[in-house]
Amino acid sequence: MRKQFAVIGLGRFGSSVCKELYKLGHDVLAIDNNEEKINNMTEHSTHSVIASGTDENALHSLGIRNFDYVIVAIGDNIQSSILCTLILKELGVSNVWVKAQNYYHHRVLEKIGADRIVHPEQDMGIRIAQHLVSEKIVDYIELSDEYSIIEVIATEKVSNKSLDQLNVRAKFGCTILAIKRGKDINISPFPSEIIELNDILIVIGHKNDLKRFEEEGM
Ligand code: ADP
């Protein structure tokens, strides 16, 4: 379903979010107070407008309230990011996602009602570190302090075996959600599914269980 997004602040993070949402076929309104940033985004957004995220009247006249999601990606200027978030919540935007710069910024955003607070640099740092320490892990998504999803490359140890034979859930307490093979992805593999060398297994579980599976089971 096509959704309406607005992205405020078109630095590296905001512009990537904007381009990707537009590529995925959604309506995206790009907002920045820098004309050059707006000019660079005209081809990658449905509409692009030079405006400040702290200008309540401007946001109101853009009909910001009617957007499904507004992403506040104002970078270093923490004060503007906070004020913009506050205005959006006061105008009644139901989903406001904000990029936080640090812990204190995060806490303030939480207090003023940001619906989701993201730390893209930290998240990416964690994912890259996970990849660096284990060549088997190709991607990592943290779900909470305890649970994550990992993508691991099937080694010789698990290949030519069925999910049933591996019995990962009983042995390690984690679940193989899906198997990627080249461009194909099997999102609900049967117990009889045979794993092939270099398949990518998408596994969900407690971090300790995932670690054990990756170290001992793979
Ligand atoms: P990143 O770390 O994601 O690259 P930056 O700090 O480089 O973030 O970029 C933030 C963007 O937000 C810049 O394009 C800047 O022009 C824009 N910006 C800063 N303040 C405002 C504001 N009040 N309203 C709208 N856009 C803003």
Side-chain angles (χ1 to χ4, degrees), residues 8-13 32-34 37 51-54 73-76 80 99 121:
I8 304 177
L10 304 167
R12 285 157 304 173
F13 175 69
D32 200 293
N33 58 4
N34 178 321
K37 295 287 171 80
S52 172
T54 57
I74 296 172
D76 296 336
S80 297
K99 173 187 159 174
E121 287 93 354

Side-chain angles (χ1 to χ4, degrees), residues 150-162:
I150 57 169
E151 288 193 10
V152 274
I153 304 177
T155 55
E156 298 242 355
K157 193 166 171 180
V158 294
S159 50
N160 298 320
K161 293 195 176 111
S162 67

